[in-house]
Amino acid sequence: MTIRQLSRRAKVDPDLLDKIVARMRNSDIVVDKYKLDITVEKISCLRGTEWLNSELLGFFLEWWVERIGAGSETRMPKDWAKPKCYFTNTYFFMKLSGEGDKTATGYNYDAVKRWTRKVKVFECDKMIIPINANNTHWFMALIDMINKTIETFDSMNGRHDKVHTNLLRYLEDEHKERKIEGVFNPAEWEMKTHQDSPRQLNCSDCGVFSSLFCCYLATETDFDFSQDDIPLIRKWIAQMIYKIGEADGQVAVPGLCNA
């Protein structure tokens, strides 16, 4: 079932986020899972058309990873997962491209090579890479190991040639670092920029679109969502997160959800 279908079939409390903000303090915990603590301040980015923060987006993707048996952090995908996908965290490409490192020159493999030392990325079918571009825009990249393509999906239809270049270079360095048998040939890889992806019609929903691209591509599902679906999906994500915290006894004020 797709995210759009899950959100439309669920009974969603439309006022839950407002109640969370009104009844709880910004620092109060909603849920602490996947090594991420989601506070009221962090979950409130799902209100209206606010820009999604890295923790919230990362939590949602980790929930999806768990649901479909994908890999992340130091874990390989489950044997039953089809396709076998590995999700990077939201900081992976930022570190790889040397953002915030004055000594880097736009590429820094050393900053991320330890992150996948226990993961055999070349034995996965896909790598799913959410990308935060300078804290101004979310989009994502896909590395298809089977078809040897590096692809970008952007809800504002942007081109990201540097992303293609850095990820191809990453694969070459990762192949060498892990001593993978055979020769890595960059010429065998194709770069694709998808300009037919669903488009956002405002300046703030890129994080929601980017996370949906990640979820759908990881299950090889056709995109079935548009800008019209985003308000409900935001409310559904917030409710899903709140209910996880409530079920685990973590949320500071339980019983707020009427769905």
Side-chain angles (χ1 to χ4, degrees), residues 11-253:
K11 181 181 179 183
V12 176
D13 182 346
D15 302 317
L16 177 60
L17 271 171
D18 290 337
K19 288 185 284 186
I20 290 173
V21 172
R23 297 281 302 278
M24 298 166 65
R25 297 170 300 179
N26 276 346
S27 59
D28 282 345
I29 291 292
V30 178
V31 66
D32 185 351
K33 192 175 183 180
Y34 311 126
K35 300 180 182 178
L36 293 166
D37 62 319
I38 303 300
T39 61
V40 171
E41 182 179 18
K42 291 172 183 175
I43 200 173
S44 65
C45 72
L46 286 166
R47 300 173 81 190
T49 56
E50 293 188 36
W51 200 80
L52 262 60
N53 57 61
S54 291
E55 292 85 358
L56 194 288
L57 193 148
F59 187 98
F60 175 59
L61 292 182
E62 282 292 342
W63 173 81
W64 190 250
V65 162
E66 187 175 65
R67 181 182 177 91
I68 67 171
S72 68
E73 298 289 336
T74 60
R75 305 183 304 276
M76 283 289 286
K78 302 291 187 182
D79 291 339
W80 51 264
K82 292 183 180 180
K84 296 188 182 303
C85 297
Y86 177 79
F87 281 62
T88 71
N89 64 35
T90 57
Y91 301 101
F92 174 84
F93 189 80
M94 179 182 69
K95 290 292 186 181
L96 179 68
S97 58
E99 289 185 28
D101 184 353
K102 295 180 180 180
T103 65
T105 58
Y107 178 82
N108 187 1
Y109 174 72
D110 287 341
V112 300
K113 70 179 182 181
R114 294 181 66 254
W115 293 10
T116 54
R117 69 187 187 278
K118 296 182 179 180
V119 178
K120 299 176 182 179
V121 297
F122 287 95
E123 294 184 12
C124 298
D125 298 323
K126 297 180 180 182
M127 283 186 71
I128 307 292
I129 306 165
I131 299 176
N132 179 345
N134 300 311
N135 282 323
T136 60
H137 183 53
W138 286 103
F139 63 100
M140 63 84 62
L142 165 72
I143 299 178
D144 187 330
M145 299 291 187
I146 304 299
N147 296 305
K148 294 187 176 180
T149 60
I150 298 175
E151 309 174 35
T152 53
F153 295 79
D154 186 335
S155 55
M156 295 191 75
N157 207 23
R159 290 192 61 86
H160 302 285
D161 296 337
K162 185 64 175 178
V163 173
H164 293 142
T165 300
N166 278 2
L167 290 179
L168 183 62
R169 189 173 172 184
Y170 163 77
L171 289 173
E172 188 169 15
D173 286 342
E174 184 77 356
H175 192 278
K176 180 180 179 181
E177 177 70 19
R178 309 306 172 202
K179 298 179 173 59
I180 306 297
E181 185 177 351
V183 177
F184 182 86
N185 183 4
E188 294 177 347
W189 287 77
E190 181 183 2
M191 309 296 121
K192 292 183 177 182
T193 299
H194 290 271
Q195 297 184 313
D196 56 350
S197 305
R199 298 288 300 277
Q200 66 185 92
L201 302 180
N202 57 32
C203 296
S204 54
D205 277 328
C206 54
V208 184
F209 275 86
S210 178
S211 62
L212 293 178
F213 291 153
C214 291
C215 294
Y216 280 65
L217 291 167
T219 54
E220 298 182 336
T221 304
D222 292 338
F223 299 143
D224 65 353
F225 58 90
S226 70
Q227 180 69 60
D228 291 341
D229 298 303
I230 303 306
L232 177 61
I233 289 173
R234 279 176 172 268
K235 292 182 175 69
W236 172 78
I237 292 173
Q239 180 169 296
M240 177 270 292
I241 292 173
Y242 178 85
K243 285 191 169 183
I244 291 174
E246 190 174 47
D248 291 348
Q250 296 175 331
V251 66
V253 180

